Amino acid sequence: MIRIAVANQKGGVGKTTTAINLATALAASGWKVLLIDFDPQGNASTGLGVERATRDRSSYELLLGECTLAEAAIATRVPRLDIVTATQDLSGAEIELVEHERRTHRLDAAISNMPVGRWDICLIDCPPSLGLLTINALVAARMLLVPLQCEFFALEGLSQLLQTIERVRGRFNPGLSILGVALTMYDRRNRLSEQVAQDVRACLGDAVFETVIPRNVRLSEAPSHGVPALIYDHRCPGSEAYMALARELIGRLPKPAEAA
């Protein structure tokens, strides 16, 4: 199963929106997709229409070993897309795991214990921090997708994230690679957006996806309706951009049967 962490320690960069809509696009392309909501805010779960009262077995119970991945995963309204939900309890997991051995490998172990074949690909929606939850996701993942907002401070945050990735590679997961950087919240009317995009491409080259995600009100509205933007309004510029990004992403992925 292909494992991708969607991470950026800076909040408000479109990380969860990217995770939800790419998961939906992959499912629509015929992939069997699992989305793990690993953010205590639980926005990915809300964005896929899972009510908080129904989140009985979440990523918190999974991380603490109180349930298996198969027990935690539930179906969504999107065919071929399952989710492991998140609750506020997850915010206390870092403290509770202090005494556990291999606390950085808890999510990796939970995914590795899953029998092969149920899902082709797993996306992990990380919290906006570089704490133990994100480290668990980076250890469990084989590839990293970085949504990057087209604003000035984004470059500074990217530098911090790249340093963390190198530490994770050195200590825990030498096989972790960067699948790509997705430029989000791009405003063609704003010269700063274009300047940031040029700077990121100059720094990271081909690691940056050609597709950029524009600022789009429909992307912001969709979560309140409990559906991905690709279902809420598949013709809006944001949805069309995410479909293009998904096609580009698929081109960078190994075939499901080739994935570890």
Side-chain angles (χ1 to χ4, degrees), residues 205-219:
D206 291 340
V208 184
F209 289 103
E210 287 297 322
T211 304
V212 297
I213 308 301
R215 285 192 177 275
N216 181 226
V217 67
R218 306 298 269 179
L219 292 178

Side-chain angles (χ1 to χ4, degrees), residues 52-58 61 85 87:
R52 292 188 182 274
T54 65
R55 302 176 195 178
D56 299 323
R57 290 174 172 169
S58 67
E61 284 79 15
T85 62
T87 65

Side-chain angles (χ1 to χ4, degrees), residues 129-201:
S129 69
L130 294 177
L132 185 57
L133 293 177
T134 297
I135 298 300
N136 258 271
L138 295 179
V139 171
R142 302 296 176 260
M143 289 171 277
L144 175 67
L145 173 64
V146 183
L148 189 70
Q149 185 179 8
C150 291
E151 291 191 356
F152 176 75
F153 290 114
L155 293 174
E156 181 178 322
L158 179 62
S159 175
Q160 294 173 358
L161 180 61
L162 293 176
Q163 291 173 14
T164 299
I165 293 168
E166 288 305 315
R167 288 195 292 268
V168 170
R169 280 176 176 159
R171 295 186 58 187
F172 306 120
N173 186 3
L176 180 65
S177 64
I178 297 178
L179 176 61
V181 175
L183 298 174
T184 63
M185 301 184 179
Y186 184 87
D187 187 347
R188 298 187 185 279
R189 302 167 300 177
N190 187 338
R191 293 179 60 185
L192 179 59
S193 287
E194 179 60 28
Q195 185 61 57
V196 170
Q198 290 177 2
D199 290 346
V200 174
R201 293 188 191 281

